[in-house]
Amino acid sequence: MDAIFEVLSAEEAQRVTARYTPLADAVRELIDATIHTAADDDVVANARSAIEAVTESLRQRTRPVGVSYRVDGARPLTLGNAAIGLGNPIAPPLIIHHDGGGRCWSEFILGPAYEGPPKLVHGGVSALVLDHMLGEAASEGLSKPRFTGTITVKYLRGTPLGPLRSEAWIEGKEGVKVFARGTISDASGVTVEADGVFIEPSWAREAQ
């Protein structure tokens, strides 16, 4: 099924992004503080009450699940995406740069909210990052509907929390299939690599 999009002008998209991005950034800081806090009972109880009140105020008006934005026919503005959503506090978020020719990269920070083994990134989070990065490459910047068919992730060593870089590129095409590869690296080199097959869905083929 095709996604549900609300079309925005570039100016409207800037207003939406400016409204919700700082809120998500603040909640990311709250998540980090929640993980690290050693506050006493009273402070925790007061914080919980304040958070619950703010949560209730935000729920007074919500968008339907599955609705996203598209900017004047350009790539989607997916505020809730788990990898790139500027309005999603659990997203790092990844800021994707495209170099053309089906290649892209992102530099980002994964902090304590993404921890698996002590001081290392959870393997599932690495898989999430690479699934998205390969998808960005395969779909040529989310401009073409190509979705994950299979992805194989190889963990070369532990990925430390902190600054990281991911790269992805198209390796080939065959009919409705696109083959992509990608990596995550720290300052010492590649920590995780992945191969994926991305498929153009039937509804997109029928629309051509």
Side-chain angles (χ1 to χ4, degrees):
M1 181 181 294
D2 203 356
I4 302 171
F5 288 107
E6 179 180 339
V7 179
L8 302 178
S9 68
E11 184 178 352
E12 289 170 333
Q14 288 179 344
R15 283 201 299 268
V16 168
T17 301
R19 181 186 305 146
Y20 296 119
T21 297
L23 174 62
D25 290 342
V27 178
R28 286 189 191 97
E29 290 295 322
L30 175 61
I31 291 170
D32 186 82
T34 301
I35 292 170
H36 285 112
T37 189
D40 60 26
D41 292 350
D42 288 344
V43 171
V44 170
N46 290 336
R48 188 182 70 188
S49 295
I51 292 166
E52 288 172 348
V54 170
T55 300
E56 184 59 31
S57 71
L58 292 174
R59 282 185 172 153
Q60 290 178 10
R61 183 180 178 187
T62 59
R63 293 190 303 274
V65 174
V67 173
S68 191
Y69 300 111
R70 187 177 290 279
V71 185
D72 289 338
R75 67 176 277 145
L77 177 62
T78 49
L79 292 174
N81 184 281
I84 62 172
L86 294 176
N88 185 349
I90 69 169
L94 303 179
I95 306 299
I96 313 297
H97 305 272
H98 288 269
D99 292 334
R103 299 190 69 93
C104 62
W105 60 274
S106 180
E107 292 181 343
F108 51 95
I109 295 174
L110 294 181
Y114 307 100
E115 187 176 57
K119 298 184 179 180
L120 297 177
V121 175
H122 193 292
V125 174
S126 296
L128 166 69
V129 169
L130 284 166
D131 183 43
H132 188 87
M133 290 296 295
L134 269 63
E136 286 268 356
S139 67
E140 299 176 44
L142 304 185
S143 66
K144 299 181 180 179
R146 293 167 179 164
F147 302 124
T148 311
T150 61
I151 185 168
T152 301
V153 181
K154 184 177 181 181
Y155 300 90
L156 306 181
R157 59 185 172 87
T159 301
L161 296 173
L164 299 166
R165 179 182 175 93
S166 183
E167 301 180 25
W169 59 92
I170 291 176
E171 287 226 308
K173 300 178 183 179
E174 183 181 305
V176 298
K177 297 179 180 179
V178 177
F179 303 91
R181 284 181 57 82
T183 61
I184 296 175
S185 304
D186 66 0
S188 300
V190 175
T191 62
V192 189
E193 58 187 24
D195 296 276
V197 180
F198 292 78
I199 312 293
E200 185 177 291
S202 58
W203 57 261
R205 294 172 233 162
E206 293 165 359
Q208 294 177 356

